Amino acid sequence: MHCTQHRVAEKLNVSMADIIYLGTPCTFDPFVVEIFLALHNGAALLLSHHSMRDSPSRVLNALFPVNLNKPGISLLQMTPSLFRQFGSTAIRERVLSSASSLRVLLLGGEPFPSNAELVTWMEPRVLLQKHICNIYGITEISCWSLLHIVQSLQAPVRLGTLIDEDTVLRIQCQSDRNLDYGELFLGSKTRRCYIPEIDDQVDSEEDSGICFRATGDLVNRLDDGSLCYGERANDIVKRAGNRINLGLITRKIERCLLSGELATCLWLENLQKLICCIRCLEPKTKVQQRAQTFDILSKVSMAEQPDRFVYLQHFPCNVHGKMDKELLLKECMPLAQPAQEILKSYLHDRLECVDVHDDQLPSTKRQRLEEDCPNPCGYSLSFRQAGGTSFHAITICREIGLQMCIDDEQRHLFEMLLDENTPLRSVLRFLDTAKLVANNVKLKPVEPLLPNRPSCGGSACVGGLVIKRIEQPTLKLQYHWKVNFEKCVDSPVTEYEGRYVCVGAHSKILRTLDPQTGKELSILRLPDRIECKVTFLSEQLAMVGCYDGCLYGFNPQSGDILWRVEIGGMIKSQPLLSADGCRIVVCSYAEDYNVYCLSAERQEVLWCLRIGEKPIFASPLELAKEQSLILCTLDGTYARVAITDGSVEWTQKCREPIFSTPVLLESQSNIFLCAEVAGRVHACHVGNGKILATYTAEGNIFSSLVVKTPPTFMGQSFVVFGCIDQHVYCLQCKTGSIRGSVDLELRWKINIGAPVYATPSLLTVQPNGLLVWCSATNGNLVLLNFRNGEIQWSDKLPGEVFSGACYIESLRRVYVGCRDNFLYCLGI
């Protein structure tokens, strides 16, 4: 322990001038670290009464006093869960501000916060002034073993380097195919704790005398040998025959959350239920919760979709400051419901249906609804027609089956749910007559629907309730502001976390604007025109390509150019920042090399190559898991290239140029889509690039492709794009049971009055749901219903529109450039 404390003190420059907060309970081993760091280095130790720890505001005022005459602490060790209780505003303005007394922050005991959360806590310059550390270890190896000092807010945070030379790392691989992923074991000859139930049973020492202890953590070993935390080994559970990883699902869900929000997934073993808890700093309305729920469901696979979403304003901590999952699970435990209510709740919460009381509608209104809804709806729908899948049916039957006395009735329920000819009305009647366990309350018998009784919107009135789709109110858009760029604004518009809007123009001007007021935050004048879409790396760093053949890194807040890299040809495609934040990929019109890969940190050229014989207009598509790129050129060549070294993994060729950026199917990660300018949309295999299916539109395609997999379409994906034949197309992508097979079918196409060059955008607008924004060369602006392509709203700008729009959902605003030289902001 003495050697470890000494090395930690050396790395962090602990001295007599430091004040260390002793905030860890004595039952948690980091308590010893805090005491001996102070004793060994002569530093001051600040103690607090245990009652203070229940009040984050009191602790904050004691550690970082507002009164400048009182000293603040300089070294703080906490779990991330406990540290979050200060709140992101207090963390940014008091704890991690430039003026704060804090010099060292050690976060350990739990997974380190994500880069997205770190950005809300501090400015990038704070990393130059303070030591923000990920510290890792286990009690059985005498507390901390690895230390990593964070250097960047973009790069993944490592577990760090070994604190002392006596500790040894070992990865026990999960499979022979991946030797760099597995459970981490820590070993030492000198640092170990006696564990009777293990050490008395087996000889845990190897011939070398090293005693290895399991951490229970799965880690990834990166190319440079460093380790990244994956998830807990016991977070892998089996659900309906699928192995799912709770940590991986949590990370996917957190990508859908707003800044400052957190998620955790819990597994309820007895009910086989997956519960997602979301921590929101501000309360959400039911409409907001539902919108976020369906966005999350569209981003995860069917087996990973939570059964229940619970919204909380804080996550409870245990006495050691870690998230208390047992207490959280008790708070989220679903209350026992009658069988009918379980099904009704599922229809409402998961399949975009709402419950409406029968007595809310007068009989005349009900009659009119019945006349307006000739197609089956509500309880007249089958479970499948309402959007249910076999996976949904298994989930419902498992929960309702716990109440059923007879196994055959549970099997019969499953068959009824999957039968296309069995309406939900019949399923509810069956549940009312089924034999349930004695302690469940039976519902009243369901009244039969009489022939002369008016129905509710074409659906059966069952138990005083009716299920129907949400009625979509009429959409109204108004113009909030416009900004003059002096020449055409053809560039696609970019937004950053709802706080900035950034776009360039033919006038060589690039502006960063306030999204609410249109006020100019910064202006940048480049040597030539800008058609490239801006890519944000952080709040204070973005990059954009220019017609002068250079890639520029700039500060969007000040407009200062921070770096410049000469690429050698016009840059029209959006530069890509790799998923790990380490590389920048730039495609261009350069004659020698049309693809460059740069280091994100220093902008050094890592590799460059030429794909095909002509320039590249389309942006690259990253395959993050495979560490590869899909690149498409203007001679019709498309290829897969390793992002690590630029090696070409395969090459294929179309007959015509490709202007459209390729896109990956959300529901089938081994298939991507690309479009030839001649109007052919191809579904291709990621592994070899071979074309699996083709759909041919009736005109040229310059628009990029947009893919969506709504949760209510049983896992099917849809692709939307614009065409020169004046139509916007929506194709339905069906993947077959045979591995790698796919069909592309037309779902709808709508004429919007002029050729469509700009890429459509998908907008989630509650309560209307998912909409398609599209614009035409004659200035037409149109909003379409995603489900059927019906026009919901239309208007016209004074000039042609080639710019791709962006949408900020929290503000309900759309931003689009026009060839009348203006950028427009429209509010929904």
Side-chain angles (χ1 to χ4, degrees):
M1 174 67 77
H2 174 273
C3 176
T4 305
Q5 306 307 328
H6 179 66
R7 292 189 180 277
V8 170
E10 282 184 341
K11 286 177 179 285
L12 302 178
N13 299 319
V14 181
S15 69
M16 295 175 63
D18 283 305
I19 302 176
I20 301 172
Y21 176 50
L22 182 62
T24 306
C26 59
T27 53
F28 193 21
D29 43 316
F31 171 85
V32 181
V33 176
E34 292 165 355
I35 285 185
F36 281 94
L37 268 180
L39 293 178
H40 182 73
N41 298 283
L45 204 59
L46 176 64
L47 286 74
S48 64
H49 193 270
H50 66 86
S51 62
M52 278 187 64
R53 294 172 191 156
D54 295 331
S55 174
S57 59
R58 292 180 64 193
V59 173
L60 181 69
N61 290 329
L63 304 188
F64 305 98
V66 178
N67 185 348
L68 299 179
N69 295 323
K70 295 182 180 180
I73 65 161
S74 58
L75 193 150
L76 177 62
Q77 176 183 235
M78 274 190 171
T79 63
S81 290
L82 205 57
F83 187 69
R84 289 183 182 106
Q85 293 192 354
F86 289 141
S88 58
T89 301
I91 290 173
R92 190 180 187 92
E93 296 178 358
R94 292 182 63 179
V95 182
L96 294 178
S97 71
S98 299
S100 164
S101 61
L102 188 69
R103 192 177 59 81
V104 177
L105 173 64
L106 299 168
L107 295 178
E110 291 181 313
F112 197 80
S114 66
N115 294 114
E117 188 173 14
L118 289 177
V119 168
T120 67
W121 285 358
M122 69 188 89
E123 302 286 344
R125 64 174 180 270
V126 170
L127 297 179
L128 303 176
Q129 303 166 347
K130 307 180 188 298
H131 288 319
I132 313 298
C133 307
N134 181 18
I135 196 156
Y136 179 86
I138 55 175
T139 303
E140 296 84 349
I141 300 291
S142 184
C143 205
W144 304 133
S145 297
L146 298 107
L147 175 71
H148 174 74
I149 300 176
V150 179
Q151 304 290 340
S152 168
L153 294 181
Q154 281 76 48
V157 176
R158 274 62 166 167
L159 288 186
T161 55
L162 290 167
I163 294 173
D164 69 289
E165 293 130 358
D166 294 333
T167 306
V168 182
L169 305 180
R170 173 192 287 173
I171 297 178
Q172 184 170 307
C173 301
Q174 302 291 297
S175 68
D176 295 335
R177 290 178 297 176
N178 188 355
L179 301 180
D180 293 323
Y181 176 76
E183 184 176 358
L184 179 64
F185 282 72
L186 297 178
S188 177
K189 290 182 180 180
T190 57
R191 297 178 59 198
R192 53 188 173 183
C193 301
Y194 174 61
I195 307 174
E197 56 268 29
I198 297 177
D199 297 340
D200 289 349
Q201 301 296 324
V202 296
D203 183 9
S204 59
E205 293 190 18
E206 299 186 348
D207 295 338
S208 61
I210 298 175
C211 175
F212 280 93
R213 302 293 193 194
T215 64
D217 292 325
L218 298 175
V219 298
N220 285 291
R221 180 163 43 210
L222 305 180
D223 293 340
D224 60 2
S226 60
L227 301 180
C228 273
Y229 176 80
E231 50 271 328
R232 293 289 294 169
N234 60 3
D235 271 354
I236 298 176
V237 298
K238 198 165 185 180
R239 183 190 192 201
N242 298 276
R243 289 192 179 276
I244 61 171
N245 189 309
L246 302 182
L248 180 62
I249 299 171
T250 298
R251 289 200 298 276
K252 286 184 180 180
I253 290 173
E254 286 188 333
R255 294 190 197 112
C256 305
L257 303 183
L258 301 177
S259 176
E261 296 181 346
L262 294 174
T264 188
C265 287
L266 307 173
W267 180 245
L268 190 56
E269 182 65 35
N270 60 339
L271 288 179
Q272 294 281 293
K273 272 188 171 293
L274 179 62
I275 299 175
C276 174
C277 302
I278 296 177
R279 190 205 72 173
C280 305
L281 301 180
E282 299 293 334
K284 288 181 181 284
T285 65
K286 290 291 184 182
V287 171
Q288 290 172 326
Q289 290 180 11
R290 232 162 149 257
Q292 190 171 59
T293 294
F294 282 103
D295 180 50
I296 292 170
L297 292 175
S298 70
K299 300 291 172 53
V300 296
S301 68
M302 188 68 70
E304 296 173 330
Q305 291 185 357
D307 296 297
R308 187 163 181 248
F309 288 86
V310 179
Y311 287 83
L312 304 168
Q313 286 191 262
H314 75 280
F315 287 164
C317 295
N318 59 24
V319 293
H320 291 164
K322 297 185 180 183
M323 186 191 299
D324 194 334
K325 291 193 175 182
E326 289 186 9
L327 179 57
L328 193 57
L329 197 56
K330 289 179 182 178
E331 291 182 8
C332 301
M333 192 76 73
L335 300 175
Q337 288 181 297
Q340 275 197 346
E341 293 305 317
I342 292 173
L343 178 57
K344 289 176 182 176
S345 297
Y346 204 92
L347 292 168
H348 175 273
D349 295 334
R350 298 296 305 280
L351 304 181
E352 292 191 290
C353 296
V354 293
D355 294 341
V356 179
H357 284 284
D358 177 38
D359 54 12
Q360 290 179 341
L361 299 174
S363 58
T364 54
K365 174 71 170 176
R366 291 198 300 268
Q367 289 173 349
R368 188 173 64 79
L369 286 173
E370 183 179 15
E371 293 168 1
D372 292 344
C373 301
N375 296 322
C377 59
Y379 284 154
S380 298
L381 293 169
S382 70
F383 181 68
R384 286 273 197 182
Q385 290 169 337
T389 67
S390 57
F391 190 88
H392 294 147
I394 291 171
T395 304
I396 293 172
C397 288
R398 180 178 287 114
E399 185 171 357
I400 294 179
L402 295 175
Q403 302 181 23
M404 290 184 161
C405 301
I406 304 172
D407 290 340
D408 283 344
E409 289 191 335
Q410 185 176 352
R411 285 192 289 272
H412 184 54
L413 171 62
F414 184 69
E415 292 168 358
M416 293 178 75
L417 290 174
L418 295 185
D419 188 350
E420 293 277 5
N421 298 316
T422 302
L424 289 167
R425 181 193 316 115
S426 300
V427 178
L428 289 166
R429 286 175 181 159
F430 167 73
L431 291 177
D432 189 66
T433 58
K435 294 182 179 179
L436 306 177
V437 291
N439 60 354
N440 278 272
V441 179
K442 290 291 292 291
L443 297 182
K444 294 179 181 179
V446 178
E447 294 182 30
L449 185 64
L450 302 177
N452 59 351
R453 180 181 174 185
S455 65
C456 305
S459 62
C461 299
V462 182
L465 294 174
V466 65
I467 294 181
K468 67 169 188 175
R469 295 289 177 184
I470 299 173
E471 289 188 19
Q472 297 186 352
T474 303
L475 280 171
K476 294 181 180 179
L477 276 77
Q478 59 178 345
Y479 293 87
H480 285 288
W481 50 259
K482 63 179 183 178
V483 174
N484 191 347
F485 277 71
E486 300 175 17
K487 286 189 178 180
C488 301
V489 183
D490 282 352
S491 304
V493 188
T494 306
E495 62 93 13
Y496 179 73
E497 295 185 350
R499 297 155 62 191
Y500 310 119
V501 170
C502 196
V503 69
H506 285 201
S507 60
K508 311 173 188 178
I509 293 174
L510 187 144
R511 283 193 174 100
T512 304
L513 307 169
D514 183 297
Q516 297 205 58
T517 63
K519 179 182 177 182
E520 183 180 288
L521 302 177
S522 72
I523 184 170
L524 178 64
R525 295 183 184 272
L526 295 183
D528 210 333
R529 70 172 65 179
I530 306 164
E531 281 189 20
C532 173
K533 184 176 182 180
V534 172
T535 298
F536 277 89
L537 287 78
S538 69
E539 185 179 4
Q540 294 185 323
L541 178 60
M543 56 186 174
V544 68
C546 181
Y547 265 47
D548 72 342
C550 294
L551 179 72
Y552 292 87
F554 65 97
N555 186 328
Q557 294 180 333
S558 64
D560 297 330
I561 295 177
L562 304 179
W563 48 259
R564 169 183 171 275
V565 178
E566 188 167 343
I567 301 300
M570 292 186 300
I571 303 172
K572 295 187 179 183
S573 73
Q574 182 181 18
L576 169 76
L577 177 66
S578 62
D580 60 10
C582 297
R583 297 174 177 85
I584 296 168
V585 179
V586 192
C587 299
S588 75
Y589 277 58
E591 293 183 0
D592 47 3
Y593 302 111
N594 54 10
V595 187
Y596 272 80
C597 181
L598 313 173
S599 117
E601 186 175 359
R602 298 185 179 181
Q603 296 80 52
E604 297 171 341
V605 178
L606 302 178
W607 54 261
C608 53
L609 78 159
R610 182 166 188 82
I611 297 292
E613 300 298 327
K614 289 191 177 180
I616 296 180
F617 180 89
S619 300
L621 165 66
E622 182 181 14
L623 310 174
K625 290 183 179 179
E626 290 84 359
Q627 291 192 302
S628 299
L629 303 165
I630 302 292
L631 302 167
C632 301
T633 77
L634 292 183
D635 72 347
T637 299
Y638 61 102
R640 174 167 158 172
V641 175
I643 196 172
T644 51
D645 58 8
S647 58
V648 178
E649 297 172 350
W650 53 253
T651 301
Q652 299 287 351
K653 187 98 164 36
C654 292
R655 295 195 298 270
E656 301 288 340
I658 300 175
F659 285 85
S660 177
T661 295
V663 65
L664 198 63
L665 276 186
E666 292 181 7
S667 62
Q668 193 76 15
S669 60
N670 64 346
I671 295 173
F672 71 94
L673 302 173
C674 64
E676 293 181 73
V677 72
R680 290 181 289 271
V681 178
H682 302 297
C684 307
H685 196 280
V686 165
N688 53 28
K690 290 185 178 178
I691 295 174
L692 304 174
T694 298
Y695 176 86
T696 304
E698 296 179 10
N700 291 342
I701 299 175
F702 292 92
S703 155
S704 290
L705 309 174
V706 182
V707 164
K708 184 68 174 178
T709 307
T712 55
F713 281 92
M714 293 176 275
Q716 294 179 13
S717 295
F718 299 84
V719 57
V720 179
F721 59 91
C723 184
I724 299 304
D725 68 356
Q726 304 189 7
H727 287 81
V728 175
Y729 287 74
C730 178
L731 305 183
Q732 188 167 347
C733 309
K734 296 181 179 179
T735 52
S737 56
I738 301 174
R739 183 177 176 82
S741 66
V742 62
D743 291 321
L744 299 176
E745 298 177 358
L746 179 65
R747 181 171 179 84
W748 52 259
K749 70 174 186 176
I750 299 296
N751 190 323
I752 65 168
V756 183
Y757 279 79
T759 301
S761 301
L762 299 185
L763 284 55
T764 300
V765 179
Q766 296 301 336
N768 295 73
L770 194 59
L771 304 172
V772 181
W773 169 280
C774 41
S775 47
T777 54
N778 67 346
N780 280 351
L781 306 178
V782 181
L783 269 177
L784 307 174
N785 185 316
F786 177 81
R787 293 177 178 274
N788 53 27
E790 290 181 357
I791 295 177
Q792 306 292 299
W793 171 88
S794 64
D795 204 342
K796 191 171 184 178
L797 292 179
E800 298 176 313
V801 178
F802 288 79
S803 166
C806 86
Y807 175 57
I808 299 181
E809 188 173 341
S810 59
L811 302 179
R812 293 171 67 98
R813 292 192 180 184
V814 182
Y815 306 85
V816 61
C818 181
R819 285 197 167 180
D820 71 343
N821 305 343
F822 283 89
L823 174 73
Y824 288 85
C825 169
L826 296 87
I828 300 177

